[in-house]
Amino acid sequence: MRSMLTLSISAAAVVAASASFADQRVVRYYADYDPAPLAAMEEIIADFEAANPDIDIQLQNFDHEGYKTAIRNFLSADAPDLANWYAGNRMAPFVNSGQFMDVSDVWEEHGLKDSLASALPSMTIDDKQWGVPYTYYQWGIYYNKTAYEQVGASVPETWDEFLANCALFKEAGIDCVTTGTKALWPGAGIFDYMNLRTNGYEFHMDLANGEVEWTDDRVRATFAEWAKLVEPGYVTENHAALEWQDAASLLVQGKAANYVMGNFAVAVFKEGGMTNDTLGFLPFPTINPDVPRAEEAPTDTVHIPSGATNVEDAKAFLAYLAGADAQTKINAAMGQLPINKDAEVAQDDPFIMAGFELLSTTPGGIAQFFDRDAPAEMAKVGMEGFQQFMVQPDQLDNILDRLEKARQRIYQ
Amino acid sequence: MSLASTERRSRSWWREHQQRLTPYVFLIPGLIFFLVYVIIPIFESFWLSGFKWDGLGEKTWIGMANYRELFDDEAFYTSLKNNIIWLVLYLLAVPAGLFIAIFLNQRVRGIRVYKSFFFFPFVISQVVVGLIFAWFYAPNFGLFYLLVEKLTGTGIAVLADPDLVTYGIIAAGLWPQIAYCMILYLTGLNAVDPEQVEAARLDAAKGWKMLWYVILPQLRPATFIAVVVTVIGALRSFDLVSIMTDGGPFGSSRVLSFYMYEQALSEYGYRMGYGASIAVILFLIMMVFISGFIWKMVEDERQGN
């Protein structure tokens, strides 16, 4: 409701502004930035407008949750010229229903297939590109160094070492792995890594695309590894009632040792008082040494809706946003990683550096995240299943049957 | 000439029927809104429930397939079961409200202040009630959790427990609902005829007998409204579920209205047809109660009470 209100206010503002700058061509841009990236994006827009004085980019910012609903309305009712969204299967409904415009020409013209190569697969549907990615961030395990010292654990590289550490933490009354699955998605992060490390990237994507049965033995193998964590009680109890931030505070307080999370959590850990000396990052340990290491890095994107009125200038802005300068700037503000391989990352942030190292050397492939790789309905059913497994591991057969039933319905 | 005569004729026609027509003229705006926002959407839901539609693309007619899927859907039965638990336990608000009302129905200094304290939970928004109770139950720092931990050694995270979660949410819902029933009964008690009470006293009635045979029959209109409001409130319980658990853990606290919202409108949903078929089922359940209530009102009117 509030977003509808701000929408109409902004519409009025757009009309007023375009009246006063009659000689400028207006590009309307709807987005959902947090305050820091918003400021950076406004700077990028100012730079772009300075270089292109005849274009006026008008940014209308929504709050995250409201945006997810609003985009479905404004794409068909009152399409802007640019809109934020996400890569992978998450953009598929809009691509398939013809709401997003094919921007392959921008990719060709500006050599983006080379400079944004790491995100090319996740931006491609039917051999065409449907938007431009501007940021991503790594997932992995964030750990409390003090807790590791307290029990005398060393940083693990393999799953067995990790589980051995868990036994130490359990003895000391520390949760080996914490998570807060009230909003479901944090559990999917754990599943993604369990599956990527057990069966590899190709299998994981086949599963997300509905090409493998959930009752397959390889899926069971993933859950068997996961059970080694759940059954001995190494995961925070009551995680189903915790928000991810609540679990983050357990890590900050040293009541938990490890947290499978995305890099955005670093800001929360640091607000809680952790520093580069007490907070550590480690890549998810190796489970099956035969599968090439794959990582998880959700990508945020900008698209041109099919109903856009100023396509030419919108494409010019997309090309600018794909460039190294713009990506350096916005990612410095977001504390995330640029996709453009010529962009720079903050050298003084060990987590950004670690993520950059991790993603740029990934041999296996980069997954988006379960709720972006799988279609929305499958994601919902799946994430509920993952949560249930972490509460009731003995229900595995029921869970897998349910997921399989959903798969047969959703992908038909 | 002919123009003037038709004008005169039409004016006199209006004058002739004015008395009879005016009520309908006043009803028209209300009827239009009722039609557009209530009646037509009901039929649209029925119609939509035969389609597969994501709200954006083409609608595909799939007939009864949504219902076939629904009746084979574990989540639907969980929601239905929870709705029944809600319905039964939520009705506890009626007797609870009655007893608080009787307890407060006295002339003591400052009674109005006490009454307003009891009424307070009804004044705050359901969202706030949900948040308060979510914190109350929260593991590790919630008051309820710590209390149980102190008494038994291990805390219970109500909202993380698939068997307890619905009861936990209903308890939160009862808090404002009891206050509402209490207010209904307090106004009802004002209308109790003191002469009848006096007469009953002379006949040595007191305590439970007095309540059952003398007071309660006079409170029938209040009881009726309290039951209606509570039943409908239980069936549309949505806000508390949404705020306290979002249907979780793994869907164990869903109710039909929440499941409908999840399927049709939430971030991972947009199955408009499936959502509509849940809405239809919920509508049919509500219809049983609503027609019961309407039948009773019509009966009462006919008998002239």
Side-chain angles (χ1 to χ4, degrees):
Chain A
M1 194 58 221
R2 194 172 49 201
S3 55
M4 285 307 289
L5 191 68
T6 48
L7 191 68
S8 52
I9 290 171
S10 83
V14 166
V15 171
S18 51
S20 54
F21 298 100
D23 51 336
Q24 280 185 320
R25 300 193 302 275
V26 171
V27 174
R28 294 191 306 146
Y29 178 14
Y30 289 177
D32 58 339
Y33 292 111
D34 288 330
L38 177 64
M41 181 45 85
E42 276 165 353
E43 251 179 72
I44 290 171
I45 289 175
D47 293 349
F48 177 76
E49 286 173 343
N52 301 275
D54 49 344
I55 303 177
D56 176 24
I57 308 256
Q58 296 185 344
L59 177 68
Q60 166 59 35
N61 204 49
F62 293 65
D63 82 294
H64 274 304
E65 295 309 313
Y67 187 81
K68 288 174 190 163
T69 323
I71 188 170
R72 299 180 66 93
N73 298 329
F74 69 62
L75 279 184
S76 46
D78 170 38
D81 301 306
L82 291 164
N84 274 16
W85 197 237
Y86 310 100
N89 245 322
R90 208 53 198 282
M91 69 177 182
F94 296 129
V95 171
N96 294 335
S97 62
Q99 306 268 24
F100 280 166
M101 196 175 277
D102 172 13
V103 293
S104 306
D105 53 338
V106 179
W107 282 69
E108 284 301 337
E109 213 174 293
H110 300 272
L112 302 186
K113 283 184 175 171
D114 176 45
S115 60
L116 306 181
S118 62
L120 179 61
S122 58
M123 296 308 299
T124 305
I125 294 180
D126 297 336
D127 289 330
K128 294 175 191 136
Q129 288 73 49
W130 301 92
V132 161
Y134 62 91
T135 185
Y136 61 3
Y137 54 89
Q138 83 275 16
W139 272 66
I141 295 180
Y142 293 84
Y143 66 95
N144 185 323
K145 289 181 180 167
T146 321
Y148 268 67
E149 277 164 27
Q150 185 191 330
V151 302
S154 56
V155 176
E157 282 185 4
T158 66
W159 187 234
D160 291 333
E161 289 170 20
F162 188 84
L163 291 172
N165 282 347
C166 282
L168 295 177
F169 289 123
K170 177 90 182 167
E171 235 168 81
I174 297 172
D175 294 336
C176 181
V177 172
T178 191
T179 190
T181 59
K182 189 177 178 197
L184 295 177
W185 57 263
I190 304 180
F191 169 78
D192 282 352
Y193 267 117
M194 296 303 306
N195 199 35
L196 285 170
R197 291 287 183 270
T198 311
N199 295 309
Y201 177 80
E202 299 299 327
F203 179 83
H204 186 67
M205 296 316 280
D206 287 349
L207 187 65
N209 287 322
E211 285 151 23
V212 184
E213 290 179 15
W214 280 88
T215 46
D216 191 286
D217 279 341
R218 288 167 291 177
V219 180
R220 286 185 189 278
T222 297
F223 280 94
E225 294 297 336
W226 198 355
K228 292 180 189 169
L229 202 60
V230 175
E231 276 169 356
Y234 293 156
V235 182
T236 298
E237 224 187 339
N238 304 323
H239 57 81
L242 298 178
E243 301 284 358
W244 74 265
Q245 293 94 333
D246 299 336
S249 74
L250 293 178
L251 187 93
V252 171
Q253 294 161 16
K255 291 179 182 168
N258 300 292
Y259 198 170
V260 182
M261 253 296 141
N263 196 57
F264 55 84
V266 169
V268 176
F269 295 136
K270 288 192 170 169
E271 268 168 36
M274 293 184 95
T275 62
N276 292 347
D277 298 328
T278 54
L279 179 67
F281 173 79
L282 65 104
F284 201 93
T286 310
I287 296 178
N288 178 355
D290 299 332
V291 299
R293 181 173 61 84
E295 300 294 338
E296 184 135 273
T299 309
D300 292 354
T301 55
V302 181
H303 304 264
I304 303 181
S306 308
T309 47
N310 189 355
V311 176
E312 272 320 298
D313 293 333
K315 282 183 175 171
F317 183 73
L318 277 193
Y320 182 77
L321 185 61
D325 290 345
Q327 299 223 336
T328 302
K329 192 169 265 180
I330 191 156
N331 283 292
M334 295 178 92
Q336 295 188 173
L337 294 164
I339 316 233
N340 190 310
K341 65 182 170 64
D342 303 322
E344 283 161 26
V345 294
Q347 302 290 330
D348 55 346
D349 183 334
F351 302 101
I352 289 292
M353 292 302 290
F356 185 72
E357 172 68 19
L358 189 71
L359 296 181
S360 56
T361 61
T362 303
I366 290 181
Q368 288 298 310
F369 198 74
F370 191 72
D371 72 350
R372 300 189 189 183
D373 287 325
E377 284 173 53
M378 191 68 232
K380 171 83 178 169
V381 183
M383 293 193 301
E384 273 180 20
F386 306 151
Q387 187 192 42
Q388 185 176 5
F389 176 73
M390 282 196 287
V391 179
Q392 304 172 329
D394 52 319
Q395 292 292 312
L396 179 63
D397 286 332
N398 281 338
I399 297 169
L400 292 182
D401 285 346
R402 198 168 68 226
L403 296 196
E404 175 55 20
K405 202 163 96 181
R407 183 190 73 89
Q408 288 175 8
R409 173 177 59 75
I410 291 164
Y411 298 90
Q412 58 186 309
Chain B
M1 177 64 208
S2 65
L3 197 76
S5 73
T6 45
E7 195 179 304
R8 194 179 307 135
R9 203 184 309 147
S10 69
R11 192 187 295 157
S12 60
W13 184 86
W14 169 242
R15 197 161 283 168
E16 208 171 291
H17 300 277
Q18 203 176 18
Q19 290 280 334
R20 230 153 26 91
L21 288 178
T22 309
Y24 295 101
V25 173
F26 278 109
L27 272 177
I28 282 173
L31 282 177
I32 288 175
F33 277 96
F34 190 65
L35 205 68
V36 169
Y37 290 110
V38 179
I39 303 295
I40 295 176
I42 287 175
F43 286 101
E44 267 188 321
S45 291
F46 272 95
W47 177 72
L48 208 54
S49 71
F51 286 92
K52 181 187 163 87
W53 185 39
D54 66 355
L56 285 174
E58 287 294 301
K59 292 191 196 75
T60 334
W61 174 257
I62 52 169
M64 298 301 283
N66 279 330
Y67 292 95
R68 266 197 298 279
E69 190 193 329
L70 194 61
F71 291 127
D72 190 33
D73 185 348
E74 224 179 290
F76 169 71
Y77 290 106
T78 310
S79 319
L80 193 63
K81 192 188 100 197
N82 284 338
N83 254 127
I84 293 169
I85 299 176
W86 265 90
L87 204 55
V88 173
L89 291 184
Y90 217 44
L91 280 171
L92 290 178
V94 177
L98 173 65
F99 285 108
I100 296 178
I102 291 172
F103 174 64
L104 287 179
N105 190 42
Q106 43 190 316
R107 284 171 222 277
V108 186
R109 205 178 139 78
I111 190 71
R112 275 164 194 274
V113 179
Y114 301 135
K115 280 181 186 170
S116 65
F117 282 151
F118 276 87
F119 189 57
F120 180 67
F122 185 69
V123 181
I124 44 182
S125 138
Q126 291 265 327
V127 177
V128 179
V129 172
L131 279 178
I132 292 175
F133 270 79
W135 287 326
F136 180 56
Y137 293 137
N140 307 325
F141 66 87
L143 187 61
F144 180 81
Y145 184 90
L146 294 175
L147 234 111
V148 174
E149 197 172 36
K150 194 132 257 166
L151 291 176
T152 65
T154 45
I156 302 174
V158 175
L159 299 184
D161 186 324
D163 300 320
L164 295 179
V165 61
T166 296
Y167 300 101
I169 302 174
I170 295 173
L174 277 176
W175 190 43
Q177 191 65 22
I178 288 174
Y180 191 26
C181 292
M182 176 200 83
I183 278 293
L184 288 173
Y185 277 120
L186 272 177
T187 39
L189 283 170
N190 276 338
V192 166
D193 186 353
E195 283 178 21
Q196 284 193 30
V197 177
E198 199 64 22
R201 261 209 195 117
L202 287 179
D203 290 339
K206 58 183 177 192
W208 291 106
K209 279 208 163 145
M210 174 76 124
L211 177 67
W212 190 253
Y213 292 106
V214 181
I215 307 291
L216 267 189
Q218 295 190 63
L219 287 175
R220 270 188 63 196
T223 308
F224 179 66
I225 299 219
V227 169
V228 171
V229 180
T230 307
V231 164
I232 291 176
L235 285 173
R236 15 167 262 189
S237 50
F238 171 87
D239 17 22
L240 287 175
V241 176
S242 173
I243 283 153
M244 293 176 70
T245 63
D246 232 348
F250 41 91
S252 12
S253 65
R254 279 194 195 108
V255 289
L256 285 175
S257 54
F258 186 79
Y259 192 40
M260 168 185 77
Y261 162 81
E262 230 178 22
Q263 288 294 327
L265 299 165
S266 77
E267 194 183 339
Y268 300 111
Y270 294 109
R271 302 181 65 199
M272 296 299 176
Y274 198 58
S277 66
I278 303 170
V280 166
I281 300 290
L282 185 58
F283 172 74
L284 293 178
I285 297 173
M286 281 202 173
M287 232 16 224
V288 172
F289 291 97
I290 293 172
S291 15
F293 294 144
I294 292 178
W295 179 78
K296 182 178 182 299
M297 280 199 278
V298 170
E299 271 309 273
D300 283 357
E301 204 143 288
R302 192 175 295 153
Q303 287 164 6
N305 326 341

